[in-house]
Amino acid sequence: MCGIVGYTGKRAAMPVLISGLKKLEYRGYDSAGIALSGESGIIVRKQSGKVSGLSDLVDGEKDTLSLSHSGIAHTRWATHGPPTTLNAHPHEGNEGRVVLVHNGIIENHNALRERFKSAGHVFKSETDSEVLAHLVEVNYDGDLLAAVKKSLKEVDGTYGITCMVKDEPGVLVVARSGSPIVIGLGEDETIVASDASAIITYTRQAIYLDDNDIARIEGSKVDIESLDSGAVTRATSEIDWSPDAAEKGGYEHYMLKEVFEQPEAIRNTIRGRIDLNRGTAILSGLNLTPRELVDIQRLLIVGCGTSMNAGLIGEYAVEDFAAIPAEVEQAAEFRYRNPIVGSRDLVLAISQSGETADTLAAVREAVDKGTLVAALVNVVGSTIARETGRGIYLHAGPEVSVASTKAFTSQVSVLLMIALKIARAHRLSREKGIQIAKEIQRLPELVQQVLDCNDKIAEVAKHYADYNNAFYIGRGYMFPVALEGALKLKEISYIHAEGYHSAELKHGPIALLEESMPVIALLNQGPGQDKTLSNVAECKARNAPVLGVITKGDEEARKTCDHVIEIPACPQYTAVVPAAVALQLFSYHVARIRGCAIDQPRNLAKSVTVE
Ligand code: F6R
């Protein structure tokens, strides 16, 4: 996820900005840049790669650059355009007078870009953020605050920005809408950042901006206004994080941080991709017309691990909504078994990293077989994204924790949208499409409701932390969730866990049921719930402890279980997301109680680039 730092005060700005960027490295990024304001104008230095590279670059010009007492800096995680030096922030206006750094997405950037191009502007990057820099410069008439205010009223989307102009050295203008900005109040100085980790070396006094706030900052003078009204006052808070927690945005582990980022990650994934009016999804990266979509007779989904589990949910959704066959295949199996693919198949490769060796090889096999191949990838510019050239980025932000969490729920969100889009090209009515689209839009809120139960889930986890084995059971859409729940538990807590279709228990695994074999049952309301309830009764009859993931307020299901975790009521096809989040939190707390190395589980790597 991108990071912002800004400084105005008495010190040399450069070392403060570079140290701030280093503190934000934990967020993940692929390029970095800095802009320093001085007597002779604004100097911008940026490059793809690590902050250390940028630091070496500016160090070579230390004598000049250290004279500057205000500046802005950024770490970029590519969304619009690959991770190149030109796409790195800060971005400049057409005449290089205005410079800004931006987190978020400007949704109407294409329209603005066209407008400026016809006025003769030249763009250096492919980013939406550069368009905003051009806009502020066009609106600048001697007052940076007024120019930014005017510009933000013309944009749609989300932003956290920090902006400077050549004519007002020492002045920073910051604003937020949907992407955080914190203002660190020092003595004779102010440090702004997208997250408090970058400021706590200098001060623990901070103001967190609200959405629609905009502030003009000069030295230690901070004036905050609302975009819609005049001056506003925001409370100052004391940051009490430990330095270690600060590296993870205040969370004890990256995994927990990423679990909690899910409402925002899913919001970013679905933003601009739902057309409520037409009851469909807008997935331009797929690059398929409705005519071409209707020609697709089968979807073949390939991936590994968590990505494959997400694919299984996609299989259910495609068959459910679109009534065309979908199959999921482990990517290694696909690559080696000379798969049968036809000209009317669409192969969909799913990979968070976009680098997984088996998934990449499966993509190459499908390309060689001459079929349509699309990718669903999180990391922009990754090999799978480049080699397919057709696909959908998750926009979930960087995932640092080895255990994949937010990538999974973002993958599922995209798969639901793909299923909806294919379905609308086939037989799904507009009315039904609108209904599904509305349910997809509820996902961030459904996840938030589960996150709000974190303390309760931590309590429940205490009852299950001492077992050596566990079964996860579910049916229908909840079967892949059982597989994913078991995978999460085993990889971070080292408890042996297996996911089964509820009906499969009787065909062997039931032999293992006894008081030392807990069963985690996906029991939320929906088709098949009664059957799984019967399976749970069979488990209880063999003294197995049962933890149920149930629909909020379902007293019947609650009575059947020893412990429950509640998820909000919603259709099964979206319930997979809050249910998976509940199981992520459960695994996290079990692993924490057992003292496991949650972010770096033994024997595992974040990106499996070998077979
Ligand atoms: C589990 C996990 C792995 C990955 C798998 C595929 O938490 O992270 O199972 O899902 O290695 O990785 P990607 O999605 O990068 O292809």
Side-chain angles (χ1 to χ4, degrees), residues 212-270:
N212 289 326
D213 282 354
I214 178 166
R216 181 186 190 277
I217 305 167
E218 187 169 12
S220 57
K221 195 169 178 320
V222 178
D223 296 306
I224 308 176
E225 293 185 15
S226 159
L227 266 192
D228 315 310
S229 54
V232 289
T233 312
R234 299 284 173 235
T236 303
S237 18
E238 166 103 20
I239 304 166
D240 57 2
W241 298 349
S242 68
D244 179 49
E247 297 291 313
K248 300 172 186 100
Y251 290 95
E252 199 178 335
H253 296 99
Y254 286 113
M255 179 180 172
L256 191 63
K257 168 180 167 284
E258 287 161 7
V259 166
F260 271 81
E261 279 172 357
Q262 287 177 108
E264 188 56 20
I266 298 172
R267 224 169 265 129
N268 286 337
T269 300
I270 62 181

Short mmCIF file of all heavy atoms in Angstrom, two decimals, residues 212-270:
data_model
loop_
_atom_site.label_atom_id
_atom_site.label_comp_id
_atom_site.label_asym_id
_atom_site.label_seq_id
_atom_site.Cartn_x
_atom_site.Cartn_y
_atom_site.Cartn_z
N ASN A 212 -12.83 14.41 4.08
CA ASN A 212 -13.20 15.76 3.64
C ASN A 212 -12.48 16.87 4.37
O ASN A 212 -12.82 18.03 4.21
CB ASN A 212 -14.72 16.02 3.72
CG ASN A 212 -15.43 15.24 2.66
OD1 ASN A 212 -14.90 15.04 1.57
ND2 ASN A 212 -16.61 14.75 2.98
N ASP A 213 -11.49 16.54 5.21
CA ASP A 213 -10.68 17.58 5.84
C ASP A 213 -9.54 17.96 4.91
O ASP A 213 -9.01 17.12 4.15
CB ASP A 213 -10.04 17.06 7.15
CG ASP A 213 -11.03 17.04 8.30
OD1 ASP A 213 -12.17 17.53 8.12
OD2 ASP A 213 -10.67 16.53 9.38
N ILE A 214 -9.16 19.22 5.00
CA ILE A 214 -8.02 19.72 4.24
C ILE A 214 -7.26 20.65 5.18
O ILE A 214 -7.88 21.35 5.98
CB ILE A 214 -8.50 20.43 2.94
CG1 ILE A 214 -7.31 20.98 2.16
CG2 ILE A 214 -9.51 21.52 3.20
CD1 ILE A 214 -7.68 21.38 0.72
N ALA A 215 -5.93 20.63 5.14
CA ALA A 215 -5.17 21.46 6.08
C ALA A 215 -4.02 22.15 5.38
O ALA A 215 -3.39 21.59 4.47
CB ALA A 215 -4.65 20.60 7.22
N ARG A 216 -3.77 23.39 5.81
CA ARG A 216 -2.58 24.13 5.35
C ARG A 216 -1.60 24.13 6.51
O ARG A 216 -1.95 24.46 7.64
CB ARG A 216 -2.97 25.55 4.99
CG ARG A 216 -1.81 26.38 4.46
CD ARG A 216 -2.24 27.84 4.26
NE ARG A 216 -1.22 28.59 3.55
CZ ARG A 216 -0.16 29.14 4.11
NH1 ARG A 216 0.06 28.99 5.41
NH2 ARG A 216 0.73 29.82 3.39
N ILE A 217 -0.38 23.71 6.23
CA ILE A 217 0.61 23.56 7.29
C ILE A 217 1.87 24.33 6.90
O ILE A 217 2.36 24.20 5.77
CB ILE A 217 0.96 22.06 7.50
CG1 ILE A 217 -0.33 21.26 7.77
CG2 ILE A 217 1.93 21.89 8.65
CD1 ILE A 217 -0.15 19.77 7.69
N GLU A 218 2.37 25.12 7.86
CA GLU A 218 3.62 25.84 7.61
C GLU A 218 4.39 25.85 8.92
O GLU A 218 3.93 26.44 9.91
CB GLU A 218 3.32 27.26 7.13
CG GLU A 218 4.57 27.98 6.71
CD GLU A 218 4.26 29.30 5.99
OE1 GLU A 218 3.09 29.75 6.03
OE2 GLU A 218 5.18 29.88 5.38
N GLY A 219 5.53 25.22 8.97
CA GLY A 219 6.24 25.09 10.25
C GLY A 219 5.34 24.36 11.25
O GLY A 219 4.83 23.29 10.95
N SER A 220 5.10 25.01 12.41
CA SER A 220 4.24 24.33 13.39
C SER A 220 2.79 24.84 13.32
O SER A 220 1.96 24.50 14.15
CB SER A 220 4.80 24.55 14.80
OG SER A 220 4.90 25.93 15.03
N LYS A 221 2.50 25.65 12.32
CA LYS A 221 1.14 26.21 12.21
C LYS A 221 0.25 25.30 11.35
O LYS A 221 0.58 25.04 10.19
CB LYS A 221 1.24 27.60 11.56
CG LYS A 221 0.01 28.44 11.69
CD LYS A 221 0.33 29.89 11.26
CE LYS A 221 -0.85 30.83 11.29
NZ LYS A 221 -2.10 30.33 10.85
N VAL A 222 -0.81 24.81 11.96
CA VAL A 222 -1.70 23.87 11.25
C VAL A 222 -3.12 24.44 11.22
O VAL A 222 -3.72 24.67 12.28
CB VAL A 222 -1.73 22.49 11.96
CG1 VAL A 222 -2.68 21.53 11.26
CG2 VAL A 222 -0.33 21.90 12.02
N ASP A 223 -3.65 24.72 10.05
CA ASP A 223 -5.02 25.22 9.93
C ASP A 223 -5.85 24.20 9.17
O ASP A 223 -5.55 23.89 8.02
CB ASP A 223 -5.04 26.55 9.17
CG ASP A 223 -4.29 27.62 9.93
OD1 ASP A 223 -4.61 27.84 11.11
OD2 ASP A 223 -3.35 28.21 9.34
N ILE A 224 -6.89 23.69 9.86
CA ILE A 224 -7.70 22.64 9.23
C ILE A 224 -9.06 23.21 8.84
O ILE A 224 -9.69 23.94 9.60
CB ILE A 224 -7.90 21.44 10.18
CG1 ILE A 224 -6.55 20.97 10.72
CG2 ILE A 224 -8.62 20.30 9.48
CD1 ILE A 224 -6.63 19.86 11.74
N GLU A 225 -9.50 22.84 7.65
CA GLU A 225 -10.84 23.22 7.19
C GLU A 225 -11.55 21.98 6.69
O GLU A 225 -10.92 20.97 6.43
CB GLU A 225 -10.74 24.22 6.02
CG GLU A 225 -10.16 25.54 6.41
CD GLU A 225 -10.20 26.54 5.25
OE1 GLU A 225 -10.93 26.29 4.26
OE2 GLU A 225 -9.50 27.56 5.36
N SER A 226 -12.86 22.12 6.56
CA SER A 226 -13.61 21.04 5.91
C SER A 226 -13.81 21.47 4.47
O SER A 226 -13.97 22.66 4.19
CB SER A 226 -14.95 20.86 6.63
OG SER A 226 -15.82 20.22 5.76
N LEU A 227 -13.82 20.52 3.57
CA LEU A 227 -14.00 20.85 2.15
C LEU A 227 -15.32 21.58 1.91
O LEU A 227 -15.43 22.41 1.02
CB LEU A 227 -14.00 19.57 1.30
CG LEU A 227 -12.69 19.09 0.67
CD1 LEU A 227 -13.00 18.01 -0.34
CD2 LEU A 227 -11.92 20.23 0.01
N ASP A 228 -16.32 21.24 2.72
CA ASP A 228 -17.65 21.81 2.49
C ASP A 228 -17.91 23.07 3.30
O ASP A 228 -18.78 23.85 2.98
CB ASP A 228 -18.73 20.77 2.83
CG ASP A 228 -18.38 19.43 2.26
OD1 ASP A 228 -18.07 19.39 1.07
OD2 ASP A 228 -18.40 18.43 3.02
N SER A 229 -17.18 23.22 4.43
CA SER A 229 -17.44 24.41 5.24
C SER A 229 -16.12 25.09 5.55
O SER A 229 -15.12 24.87 4.87
CB SER A 229 -18.16 24.00 6.52
OG SER A 229 -17.41 23.00 7.17
N GLY A 230 -16.07 25.88 6.60
CA GLY A 230 -14.84 26.62 6.92
C GLY A 230 -13.97 25.86 7.90
O GLY A 230 -13.87 24.62 7.86
N ALA A 231 -13.33 26.62 8.81
CA ALA A 231 -12.36 26.05 9.75
C ALA A 231 -13.02 25.02 10.66
O ALA A 231 -14.18 25.18 11.08
CB ALA A 231 -11.76 27.17 10.58
N VAL A 232 -12.29 23.96 10.95
CA VAL A 232 -12.78 22.94 11.89
C VAL A 232 -11.66 22.64 12.89
O VAL A 232 -10.49 22.87 12.60
CB VAL A 232 -13.19 21.62 11.20
CG1 VAL A 232 -14.46 21.78 10.40
CG2 VAL A 232 -12.07 21.08 10.32
N THR A 233 -12.07 22.14 14.08
CA THR A 233 -11.05 21.78 15.06
C THR A 233 -11.05 20.26 15.19
O THR A 233 -12.10 19.64 15.28
CB THR A 233 -11.43 22.38 16.44
OG1 THR A 233 -11.76 23.75 16.22
CG2 THR A 233 -10.27 22.28 17.41
N ARG A 234 -9.88 19.69 15.18
CA ARG A 234 -9.76 18.23 15.38
C ARG A 234 -8.91 17.99 16.62
O ARG A 234 -7.90 18.67 16.83
CB ARG A 234 -9.09 17.57 14.17
CG ARG A 234 -9.84 17.74 12.87
CD ARG A 234 -11.06 16.85 12.78
NE ARG A 234 -11.87 17.15 11.60
CZ ARG A 234 -13.16 17.45 11.64
NH1 ARG A 234 -13.81 17.48 12.78
NH2 ARG A 234 -13.82 17.69 10.52
N ALA A 235 -9.32 17.00 17.40
CA ALA A 235 -8.63 16.73 18.66
C ALA A 235 -7.21 16.24 18.42
O ALA A 235 -6.93 15.58 17.41
CB ALA A 235 -9.41 15.68 19.43
N THR A 236 -6.34 16.55 19.35
CA THR A 236 -4.97 16.02 19.31
C THR A 236 -4.93 14.76 20.15
O THR A 236 -5.45 14.74 21.26
CB THR A 236 -3.98 17.06 19.89
OG1 THR A 236 -4.12 18.26 19.16
CG2 THR A 236 -2.55 16.57 19.81
N SER A 237 -4.35 13.69 19.63
CA SER A 237 -4.24 12.47 20.45
C SER A 237 -2.78 12.10 20.65
O SER A 237 -1.91 12.51 19.90
CB SER A 237 -5.00 11.29 19.84
OG SER A 237 -5.28 11.49 18.49
N GLU A 238 -2.58 11.29 21.68
CA GLU A 238 -1.22 10.85 22.02
C GLU A 238 -1.04 9.46 21.43
O GLU A 238 -1.85 8.55 21.69
CB GLU A 238 -1.13 10.83 23.55
CG GLU A 238 0.06 10.11 24.11
CD GLU A 238 1.15 11.08 24.58
OE1 GLU A 238 0.84 12.24 24.82
OE2 GLU A 238 2.31 10.63 24.67
N ILE A 239 -0.01 9.25 20.65
CA ILE A 239 0.23 7.91 20.08
C ILE A 239 1.00 7.09 21.11
O ILE A 239 2.08 7.50 21.54
CB ILE A 239 1.05 7.99 18.78
CG1 ILE A 239 0.36 8.92 17.78
CG2 ILE A 239 1.27 6.63 18.17
CD1 ILE A 239 1.24 9.33 16.62
N ASP A 240 0.43 5.93 21.49
CA ASP A 240 1.11 5.16 22.54
C ASP A 240 1.61 3.80 22.04
O ASP A 240 1.73 2.86 22.78
CB ASP A 240 0.19 5.00 23.76
CG ASP A 240 -1.11 4.33 23.38
OD1 ASP A 240 -1.26 3.98 22.19
OD2 ASP A 240 -1.98 4.15 24.25
N TRP A 241 1.89 3.68 20.74
CA TRP A 241 2.38 2.41 20.22
C TRP A 241 3.82 2.16 20.64
O TRP A 241 4.60 3.10 20.74
CB TRP A 241 2.42 2.42 18.70
CG TRP A 241 1.13 2.59 18.03
CD1 TRP A 241 -0.12 2.53 18.57
CD2 TRP A 241 0.97 2.86 16.64
NE1 TRP A 241 -1.05 2.73 17.60
CE2 TRP A 241 -0.41 2.94 16.41
CE3 TRP A 241 1.84 3.03 15.58
CZ2 TRP A 241 -0.92 3.18 15.16
CZ3 TRP A 241 1.33 3.26 14.35
CH2 TRP A 241 -0.04 3.34 14.13
N SER A 242 4.15 0.89 20.73
CA SER A 242 5.56 0.54 20.88
C SER A 242 6.20 0.65 19.49
O SER A 242 5.50 0.52 18.48
CB SER A 242 5.68 -0.90 21.38
OG SER A 242 5.26 -1.77 20.35
N PRO A 243 7.51 0.88 19.41
CA PRO A 243 8.16 0.99 18.09
C PRO A 243 7.90 -0.24 17.23
O PRO A 243 7.69 -0.15 16.03
CB PRO A 243 9.64 1.13 18.43
CG PRO A 243 9.67 1.67 19.81
CD PRO A 243 8.44 1.14 20.50
N ASP A 244 7.86 -1.44 17.87
CA ASP A 244 7.64 -2.66 17.09
C ASP A 244 6.23 -2.68 16.49
O ASP A 244 6.04 -2.97 15.32
CB ASP A 244 7.86 -3.88 18.00
CG ASP A 244 7.63 -5.17 17.24
OD1 ASP A 244 8.19 -5.30 16.14
OD2 ASP A 244 6.88 -6.04 17.73
N ALA A 245 5.25 -2.31 17.32
CA ALA A 245 3.87 -2.29 16.83
C ALA A 245 3.73 -1.24 15.73
O ALA A 245 2.97 -1.43 14.78
CB ALA A 245 2.91 -1.99 17.97
N ALA A 246 4.49 -0.15 15.86
CA ALA A 246 4.39 0.92 14.87
C ALA A 246 4.75 0.42 13.48
O ALA A 246 4.17 0.83 12.48
CB ALA A 246 5.31 2.07 15.26
N GLU A 247 5.68 -0.54 13.41
CA GLU A 247 6.07 -1.10 12.12
C GLU A 247 4.88 -1.79 11.44
O GLU A 247 4.88 -1.98 10.24
CB GLU A 247 7.16 -2.16 12.30
CG GLU A 247 8.46 -1.62 12.87
CD GLU A 247 9.18 -0.73 11.88
OE1 GLU A 247 9.29 -1.13 10.72
OE2 GLU A 247 9.60 0.37 12.27
N LYS A 248 3.95 -2.20 12.25
CA LYS A 248 2.81 -2.95 11.68
C LYS A 248 1.52 -2.14 11.82
O LYS A 248 0.44 -2.70 11.96
CB LYS A 248 2.66 -4.28 12.40
CG LYS A 248 3.89 -5.13 12.27
CD LYS A 248 3.83 -6.36 13.13
CE LYS A 248 5.15 -7.07 13.06
NZ LYS A 248 6.03 -6.81 14.18
N GLY A 249 1.67 -0.84 11.78
CA GLY A 249 0.49 0.01 11.84
C GLY A 249 -0.26 -0.15 13.15
O GLY A 249 -1.47 0.07 13.21
N GLY A 250 0.43 -0.52 14.23
CA GLY A 250 -0.22 -0.62 15.54
C GLY A 250 -0.68 -2.03 15.87
O GLY A 250 -1.09 -2.30 17.00
N TYR A 251 -0.61 -2.96 14.92
CA TYR A 251 -1.04 -4.34 15.17
C TYR A 251 0.15 -5.18 15.62
O TYR A 251 1.30 -4.88 15.28
CB TYR A 251 -1.65 -4.95 13.92
CG TYR A 251 -2.99 -4.35 13.57
CD1 TYR A 251 -3.08 -3.31 12.66
CD2 TYR A 251 -4.15 -4.80 14.19
CE1 TYR A 251 -4.31 -2.73 12.35
CE2 TYR A 251 -5.38 -4.22 13.89
CZ TYR A 251 -5.46 -3.20 12.97
OH TYR A 251 -6.66 -2.63 12.69
N GLU A 252 -0.17 -6.26 16.34
CA GLU A 252 0.92 -7.10 16.84
C GLU A 252 1.56 -7.90 15.70
O GLU A 252 2.74 -8.21 15.74
CB GLU A 252 0.34 -8.04 17.91
CG GLU A 252 1.38 -8.64 18.81
CD GLU A 252 0.76 -9.52 19.88
OE1 GLU A 252 -0.44 -9.32 20.24
OE2 GLU A 252 1.46 -10.42 20.34
N HIS A 253 0.78 -8.25 14.72
CA HIS A 253 1.31 -9.04 13.60
C HIS A 253 0.76 -8.51 12.27
O HIS A 253 -0.35 -7.98 12.23
CB HIS A 253 0.89 -10.52 13.71
CG HIS A 253 1.45 -11.20 14.91
ND1 HIS A 253 0.73 -11.37 16.06
CD2 HIS A 253 2.67 -11.73 15.15
CE1 HIS A 253 1.48 -11.99 16.96
NE2 HIS A 253 2.67 -12.22 16.43
N TYR A 254 1.54 -8.71 11.23
CA TYR A 254 1.06 -8.33 9.90
C TYR A 254 -0.25 -9.06 9.57
O TYR A 254 -1.14 -8.51 8.95
CB TYR A 254 2.09 -8.68 8.82
CG TYR A 254 3.27 -7.75 8.81
CD1 TYR A 254 4.53 -8.20 9.17
CD2 TYR A 254 3.12 -6.42 8.45
CE1 TYR A 254 5.62 -7.34 9.16
CE2 TYR A 254 4.20 -5.56 8.44
CZ TYR A 254 5.45 -6.03 8.79
OH TYR A 254 6.52 -5.17 8.78
N MET A 255 -0.32 -10.32 9.99
CA MET A 255 -1.53 -11.07 9.63
C MET A 255 -2.76 -10.37 10.20
O MET A 255 -3.75 -10.17 9.49
CB MET A 255 -1.46 -12.50 10.15
CG MET A 255 -2.74 -13.27 9.81
SD MET A 255 -2.71 -14.96 10.40
CE MET A 255 -4.41 -15.44 10.05
N LEU A 256 -2.68 -9.94 11.48
CA LEU A 256 -3.85 -9.30 12.08
C LEU A 256 -4.14 -7.97 11.37
O LEU A 256 -5.30 -7.65 11.09
CB LEU A 256 -3.60 -9.07 13.57
CG LEU A 256 -4.83 -8.65 14.36
CD1 LEU A 256 -5.89 -9.74 14.33
CD2 LEU A 256 -4.48 -8.33 15.81
N LYS A 257 -3.07 -7.25 11.07
CA LYS A 257 -3.25 -5.98 10.37
C LYS A 257 -3.99 -6.22 9.05
O LYS A 257 -4.94 -5.52 8.70
CB LYS A 257 -1.87 -5.35 10.11
CG LYS A 257 -1.86 -4.20 9.15
CD LYS A 257 -0.44 -3.67 8.99
CE LYS A 257 -0.32 -2.74 7.81
NZ LYS A 257 -0.28 -3.42 6.51
N GLU A 258 -3.56 -7.26 8.33
CA GLU A 258 -4.15 -7.51 7.01
C GLU A 258 -5.58 -8.04 7.13
O GLU A 258 -6.44 -7.73 6.31
CB GLU A 258 -3.23 -8.44 6.21
CG GLU A 258 -2.00 -7.66 5.76
CD GLU A 258 -0.81 -8.52 5.36
OE1 GLU A 258 -0.94 -9.75 5.29
OE2 GLU A 258 0.27 -7.93 5.12
N VAL A 259 -5.84 -8.81 8.19
CA VAL A 259 -7.21 -9.27 8.43
C VAL A 259 -8.11 -8.04 8.63
O VAL A 259 -9.21 -7.94 8.07
CB VAL A 259 -7.28 -10.21 9.65
CG1 VAL A 259 -8.72 -10.42 10.11
CG2 VAL A 259 -6.63 -11.56 9.33
N PHE A 260 -7.60 -7.08 9.41
CA PHE A 260 -8.41 -5.89 9.70
C PHE A 260 -8.49 -4.94 8.51
O PHE A 260 -9.37 -4.08 8.47
CB PHE A 260 -7.89 -5.19 10.96
CG PHE A 260 -8.54 -5.73 12.20
CD1 PHE A 260 -8.10 -6.91 12.78
CD2 PHE A 260 -9.65 -5.11 12.75
CE1 PHE A 260 -8.72 -7.44 13.89
CE2 PHE A 260 -10.28 -5.63 13.86
CZ PHE A 260 -9.82 -6.80 14.45
N GLU A 261 -7.60 -5.08 7.57
CA GLU A 261 -7.66 -4.21 6.38
C GLU A 261 -8.74 -4.68 5.39
O GLU A 261 -8.97 -4.01 4.39
CB GLU A 261 -6.31 -4.23 5.65
CG GLU A 261 -5.27 -3.32 6.25
CD GLU A 261 -3.89 -3.51 5.63
OE1 GLU A 261 -3.74 -4.40 4.76
OE2 GLU A 261 -2.99 -2.80 6.02
N GLN A 262 -9.35 -5.82 5.66
CA GLN A 262 -10.20 -6.41 4.63
C GLN A 262 -11.40 -5.56 4.17
O GLN A 262 -11.67 -5.52 2.97
CB GLN A 262 -10.63 -7.82 5.02
CG GLN A 262 -9.43 -8.77 4.88
CD GLN A 262 -9.70 -10.18 5.31
OE1 GLN A 262 -9.80 -11.08 4.50
NE2 GLN A 262 -9.79 -10.39 6.61
N PRO A 263 -12.08 -4.86 5.08
CA PRO A 263 -13.18 -4.04 4.54
C PRO A 263 -12.66 -3.05 3.49
O PRO A 263 -13.25 -2.89 2.43
CB PRO A 263 -13.73 -3.31 5.78
CG PRO A 263 -13.37 -4.21 6.93
CD PRO A 263 -12.04 -4.81 6.54
N GLU A 264 -11.52 -2.43 3.79
CA GLU A 264 -10.95 -1.45 2.88
C GLU A 264 -10.43 -2.13 1.60
O GLU A 264 -10.63 -1.64 0.49
CB GLU A 264 -9.80 -0.72 3.61
CG GLU A 264 -9.20 0.45 2.89
CD GLU A 264 -10.21 1.52 2.50
OE1 GLU A 264 -11.30 1.56 3.10
OE2 GLU A 264 -9.91 2.28 1.57
N ALA A 265 -9.79 -3.29 1.79
CA ALA A 265 -9.25 -4.00 0.63
C ALA A 265 -10.38 -4.39 -0.32
O ALA A 265 -10.29 -4.21 -1.55
CB ALA A 265 -8.48 -5.24 1.09
N ILE A 266 -11.48 -4.91 0.24
CA ILE A 266 -12.59 -5.33 -0.63
C ILE A 266 -13.23 -4.10 -1.29
O ILE A 266 -13.59 -4.13 -2.47
CB ILE A 266 -13.64 -6.15 0.16
CG1 ILE A 266 -12.99 -7.42 0.71
CG2 ILE A 266 -14.85 -6.48 -0.71
CD1 ILE A 266 -13.87 -8.20 1.66
N ARG A 267 -13.32 -3.03 -0.50
CA ARG A 267 -13.87 -1.79 -1.09
C ARG A 267 -13.02 -1.38 -2.30
O ARG A 267 -13.56 -1.02 -3.36
CB ARG A 267 -13.83 -0.69 -0.02
CG ARG A 267 -15.09 0.13 0.02
CD ARG A 267 -15.14 1.04 1.24
NE ARG A 267 -15.86 0.43 2.33
CZ ARG A 267 -15.41 0.31 3.58
NH1 ARG A 267 -14.23 0.78 3.92
NH2 ARG A 267 -16.15 -0.26 4.50
N ASN A 268 -11.71 -1.46 -2.15
CA ASN A 268 -10.84 -1.11 -3.28
C ASN A 268 -11.00 -2.08 -4.44
O ASN A 268 -10.91 -1.71 -5.60
CB ASN A 268 -9.37 -1.08 -2.84
CG ASN A 268 -9.07 0.14 -2.00
OD1 ASN A 268 -9.77 1.14 -2.09
ND2 ASN A 268 -8.06 0.07 -1.17
N THR A 269 -11.23 -3.35 -4.10
CA THR A 269 -11.38 -4.36 -5.15
C THR A 269 -12.64 -4.12 -5.97
O THR A 269 -12.63 -4.26 -7.19
CB THR A 269 -11.44 -5.77 -4.51
OG1 THR A 269 -10.23 -6.00 -3.79
CG2 THR A 269 -11.62 -6.85 -5.55
N ILE A 270 -13.72 -3.75 -5.29
CA ILE A 270 -14.99 -3.65 -6.05
C ILE A 270 -15.28 -2.23 -6.55
O ILE A 270 -16.16 -2.05 -7.38
CB ILE A 270 -16.20 -4.19 -5.23
CG1 ILE A 270 -16.44 -3.40 -3.96
CG2 ILE A 270 -16.05 -5.64 -4.90
CD1 ILE A 270 -17.62 -3.93 -3.14
#
